[in-house]
């Protein structure tokens, strides 16, 4: 999944800083997990991993891959291959009413709806798969772990048939070739690190009391809120039939705005996180063009760091705009490391 601020290109830098500076750590809290790629990296390296994100769809994406150490058995379902079953499911196979199909009725061009996020066939398939997963769980045919395993597979499949450039803040006014593909779920990748890993859907302040060796934080860098850019994935994950508005069918997100996205609150948000953290070390991903200046964030880190433990690492980074690399000098990804306890 293409994800704003995704760290796939920076995993080596993150790993190198950890192994060279704090090789003794064995447990990590990923406070703003996003796509889950960094949490999955930590888990694959053998760390006991605690993943968190305030957005529910992000939590769903990580819930299976982080918590589970093996594929669920689906003993009570009576279906040998649930992923194959869901891929082959048609509307005629179900007892659902078309009025129950929220994505079909609101994000594909049918009836009075003009939104072009999905071809009608894929929109309907998203709905019947989501409704089936919910039905199985409600009727106790699948466990909580099995529920999130299947839901994660659905959320991860949706972007491959979405009529967007990368995020859901707008849809294309013509059909991209990917939208003609049939929605297809694939098995979530599960690695076994032999640890009891955890996953949460909480405000960042509620995880600061977790005592781990390392707290890794990758908060938003600028004023761009995440939920408006992924509102449809949030709605598919929750399937809560929200009130929507505007050209894009946006759900309300006033209660999910981040303090890291506001110039007036970003400094105090960082201070709260660093001051109240109970983990031994903190590693923060940020960049030199973010909402809070390098100097300001460095000062906060130094204020709470034990001794002279604070270190700043910077890496040149190519700026990407509209899929075209832009090599304008100046942008640097940063890692702020300090010891707290």
């Amino acid at each position: 999944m293409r994800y704003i601020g995704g760290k796939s290109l920076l995993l080596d830098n993150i790993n190198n800083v950890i192994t060279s500076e704090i090789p003794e750590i064995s447990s990590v809290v990923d406070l703003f997990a996003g796509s889950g790629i960094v949490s999955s990296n930590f888990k694959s390296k053998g760390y006991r991993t605690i993943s968190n994100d305030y957005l529910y769809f992000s939590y769903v994406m990580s819930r299976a891959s982080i918590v589970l150490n093996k594929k669920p058995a689906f003993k009570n379902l009576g279906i040998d291959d649930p992923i194959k079953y869901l891929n082959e499911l048609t509307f005629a196979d179900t007892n659902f009413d078309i009025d129950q199909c929220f994505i079909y009725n609101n994000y594909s061009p049918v009836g009075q709806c003009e939104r072009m996020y999905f071809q009608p066939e894929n929109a309907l398939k998203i709905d019947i798969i989501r409704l089936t997963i919910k039905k199985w769980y409600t009727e106790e045919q699948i466990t909580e772990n099995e529920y999130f395993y299947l839901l994660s597979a659905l959320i991860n499949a949706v972007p491959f048939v979405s009529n967007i450039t990368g995020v859901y803040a707008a849809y294309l006014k013509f059909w991209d070739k990917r939208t003609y593909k049939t929605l297809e779920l694939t098995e979530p990748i599960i690695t076994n690190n032999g640890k009891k890993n955890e996953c949460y859907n909480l405000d960042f302040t509620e995880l600061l009391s977790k005592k781990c060796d390392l707290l890794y934080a990758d908060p938003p860098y600028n004023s761009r809120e995440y939920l408006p850019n992924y509102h449809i994935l949030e709605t598919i994950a929750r399937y809560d039939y929200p009130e929507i508005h505007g050209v894009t069918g946006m759900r309300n997100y006033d209660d999910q705005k981040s303090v890291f996205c506001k110039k007036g609150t970003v400094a105090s948000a960082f201070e709260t996180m660093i001051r109240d953290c109970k983990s031994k070390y903190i590693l923060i991903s940020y960049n030199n063009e973010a909402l809070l200046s390098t100097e300001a964030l460095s000062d906060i880190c130094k204020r709470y760091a034990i001794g002279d433990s604070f270190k700043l690492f910077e890496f040149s980074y190519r700026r990407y705009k509209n899929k075209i690399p832009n090599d304008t000098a100046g942008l640097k990804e940063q890692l702020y490391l300090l010891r707290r306890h």
Side-chain angles (χ1 to χ4, degrees), residues 77 204 278 304:
L77 187 57
F204 79 99
K278 301 303 181 185
Y304 293 98

Side-chain angles (χ1 to χ4, degrees), residues 64-216:
S65 59
I66 299 303
V67 172
L68 296 179
N69 279 328
K70 63 179 180 180
K71 178 182 174 180
F74 294 98
K75 292 180 180 179
N76 297 327
L77 187 57
I79 295 173
D80 291 337
D81 189 341
I83 294 290
K84 182 175 184 290
Y85 177 90
L86 292 172
N87 280 332
E88 295 175 352
L89 192 65
T90 68
F91 185 71
D93 297 326
T94 73
N95 294 318
F96 303 128
D97 190 279
I98 198 69
D99 291 338
Q100 293 177 268
C101 299
F102 192 83
I103 303 302
Y104 176 78
N105 288 312
N106 291 284
Y107 298 107
S108 65
V110 295
Q112 300 300 310
C113 181
E114 298 180 351
R115 299 183 186 108
M116 295 174 59
Y117 278 108
F118 304 102
Q119 296 277 2
E121 295 81 2
N122 278 326
L124 189 58
K125 191 159 188 177
I126 291 168
D127 284 314
I128 63 173
I129 290 174
R130 184 65 182 87
L131 287 165
T132 298
I133 295 171
K134 181 179 180 179
K135 180 175 181 289
W136 286 346
Y137 184 55
T138 301
E139 295 178 353
E140 299 184 349
Q141 292 179 273
I142 57 175
T143 65
E144 184 176 88
N145 282 337
E146 292 165 346
Y147 170 80
F148 282 108
Y149 180 87
L150 296 175
L151 189 50
S152 171
L154 174 60
I155 295 298
N156 279 292
V158 168
F160 292 100
V161 297
S162 299
N163 197 36
I164 58 174
T165 58
V167 296
Y168 294 82
Y171 54 84
L172 297 171
K173 304 305 185 290
F174 58 90
W175 290 114
D176 187 273
K177 62 181 181 181
R178 82 171 65 87
T179 68
Y180 293 97
K181 299 176 182 177
T182 299
L183 178 83
E184 184 175 5
L185 277 60
T186 59
E187 301 276 359
I189 297 172
I190 306 294
T191 59
N192 184 358
N193 68 348
K195 306 291 172 61
K196 186 177 179 180
N197 308 291
E198 303 169 33
C199 194
Y200 295 95
N201 175 220
L202 299 171
D203 181 81
F204 79 99
T205 57
E206 297 181 69
L207 265 293
L208 296 177
S209 60
K210 281 278 184 182
K211 293 183 179 181
C212 281
D213 295 326
L214 174 67
L215 181 142
Y216 171 76

Side-chain angles (χ1 to χ4, degrees), residues 17 21-22 24 214 274 279-284 298 300-313 335-341:
V17 166
E21 300 293 330
I22 46 174
E24 72 274 17
L214 174 67
I274 296 169
S279 293
K280 186 175 183 180
Y281 294 99
I282 300 177
L283 184 65
I284 300 169
S298 296
I300 297 172
C301 289
K302 291 174 184 176
R303 195 179 312 150
Y304 293 98
I306 290 180
D308 57 356
S309 64
F310 170 67
K311 293 183 180 180
L312 172 61
F313 304 87
L335 289 171
Y336 295 72
L337 176 66
L338 64 149
R339 180 169 178 171
R340 280 292 292 120
H341 298 280

